[in-house]
Amino acid sequence: MASSVDGYDLLLAMRKATRRSHNIANALILSKLVVVLTNQRLYAHALSSFYPVYRKLEELLQQHKGAKGLSKLVNVTSKIPSRRQAMEKVGSVPAAVTQLLGVQAGLSSP
């Protein structure tokens, strides 16, 4: 493993530990992709599964934008539309997800 530079050892260890499960998950996702792409409702539902991830990532990026190494990433990502807002705008976030997270589709979260 590489020397410990800004948690690089942890990154490599996490990547190695999760490689098998990620490969299995990727294979399952790809096998379902053909079916999902044939139905708009299924496609919207699939996209909505990423909503909590994007919401939290975008929240944390803004919260820690001054942290070493994140300023460049925040600068780049601030120039593209928010994935969370885009999903809320087009209504691809099912009511159950928005209700669970306390967000109304089409509105910015607090």
Side-chain angles (χ1 to χ4, degrees), residues 13-14 18 24 45 48 58 64 70-71 75 90 103-104 106 108:
M14 288 173 57
T18 61
I24 292 169
H45 182 72
S48 73
E58 291 173 356
H64 299 286
L70 281 183
S71 60
N75 186 38
V90 298
V103 177
Q104 294 179 349
S108 297

Side-chain angles (χ1 to χ4, degrees), residues 10-92:
L10 176 60
L11 171 68
L12 293 176
M14 288 173 57
R15 189 178 292 162
K16 182 179 179 181
T18 61
R19 182 176 293 136
R20 184 172 187 274
S21 59
H22 275 108
N23 288 342
I24 292 169
N26 287 340
L28 290 171
I29 290 167
L30 288 174
S31 69
K32 294 178 181 180
L33 185 60
V34 174
V35 174
V36 168
L37 291 175
T38 63
N39 182 293
Q40 188 175 7
R41 187 171 174 209
L42 289 174
Y43 182 70
H45 182 72
L47 282 181
S48 73
S49 66
F50 294 99
Y51 176 80
V53 175
Y54 280 114
R55 181 172 184 235
K56 191 63 176 179
L57 281 174
E58 291 173 356
E59 174 187 314
L60 289 172
L61 275 175
Q62 287 305 311
Q63 183 180 345
H64 299 286
K65 62 184 171 187
K68 183 181 176 183
L70 281 183
S71 60
K72 289 181 183 179
L73 179 63
V74 171
N75 186 38
V76 169
T77 58
S78 67
K79 295 175 184 175
I80 58 174
S82 160
R83 294 295 88 213
R84 175 189 53 81
Q85 289 176 342
M87 288 181 190
E88 290 171 1
K89 184 176 180 179
V90 298
S92 68

